[in-house]
Amino acid sequence: MPLQESTVFVPRADGKGVMESFFAKPEGTGPFPGLIVIHEISGLNDNIRSIANQFAGQGYVALAVDLFANRNRAFCMLQAFHGILFRPLNNPLLSDLQSTFASLQKQSGVDADRIGAVGFCMGGGYALQMAVTTKGIKAASVFYGAAPKPLEAFAQSCPIAGSYPDRDFTTQGARELDAVLDKYDIPHDIKFYQNTQHSFFNQQRTPFEMDASKDAWQRMLSFFQDHLH
């Protein structure tokens, strides 16, 4: 499927500057479902841009936001970890993601009622935060992201797909999240992959991780097909 790539400038929630971000969409007028793609702690890079293009190839408008744009990277990293650990449902980066959601809703060719989020590591944690806090979001996918507390907040969550290594610092929280989503009857598909390490979707090192990456991608696409179409 032919793609269109461009740069979009997403306003920060505090009104102080913009986030220069990567935008990929299929050819045509749409309307297409939209996805916010949230990067790892390494920031918006070629890997994340490639993932956004892959989503566009599947018929989604993908906005890969750069949460660190025009800011001191070390400060942004500290802010990100503080938001995950101490203020997981109310923090500046989450507010910027709410602004990103509103910006994507307004983009030409996007169906404003069919928008989801996907994130990796740090971004996965923030995708889960969006699943709980962002009114109107229809689905979220998380790759090895920390589950925000309190988990009871997920009683009001959108549907969630999750992909985790079987042994990782995020795994126990994901197992607890899985149980809470069961408890509140939230549609979800969370899977734990044996013989894989953190960031297996980004840096496949073994046949197990290559297989896990392919499986996680297909599971996610199927989940989004069910909840964003």
Side-chain angles (χ1 to χ4, degrees), residues 14-32:
D14 62 6
K16 298 178 181 178
V18 296
M19 296 174 285
E20 186 174 328
S21 303
F22 181 75
F23 186 74
K25 68 183 293 289
E27 290 281 3
T29 57
F32 303 104

Side-chain angles (χ1 to χ4, degrees), residues 62-141:
L63 176 54
V65 62
D66 185 357
L67 292 169
F68 300 163
N70 303 314
R71 295 281 175 92
N72 178 277
R73 182 172 293 271
F75 172 78
C76 287
M77 291 169 67
L78 289 173
Q79 190 178 54
F81 284 123
H82 186 270
I84 290 171
L85 295 173
F86 301 109
R87 297 181 61 193
L89 300 178
N90 181 17
N91 59 77
L93 291 189
L94 177 59
S95 296
D96 284 340
L97 286 167
Q98 311 285 14
S99 180
T100 303
F101 180 82
S103 179
L104 183 55
Q105 285 183 309
K106 297 173 185 176
Q107 294 292 330
S108 175
V110 176
D111 185 337
D113 294 322
R114 292 187 294 152
I115 293 179
V118 54
F120 305 86
C121 187
M122 180 203 84
Y126 277 100
L128 288 175
Q129 293 184 35
M130 291 191 75
V132 173
T133 62
T134 306
K135 184 178 180 180
I137 196 168
K138 292 298 189 292
S141 178

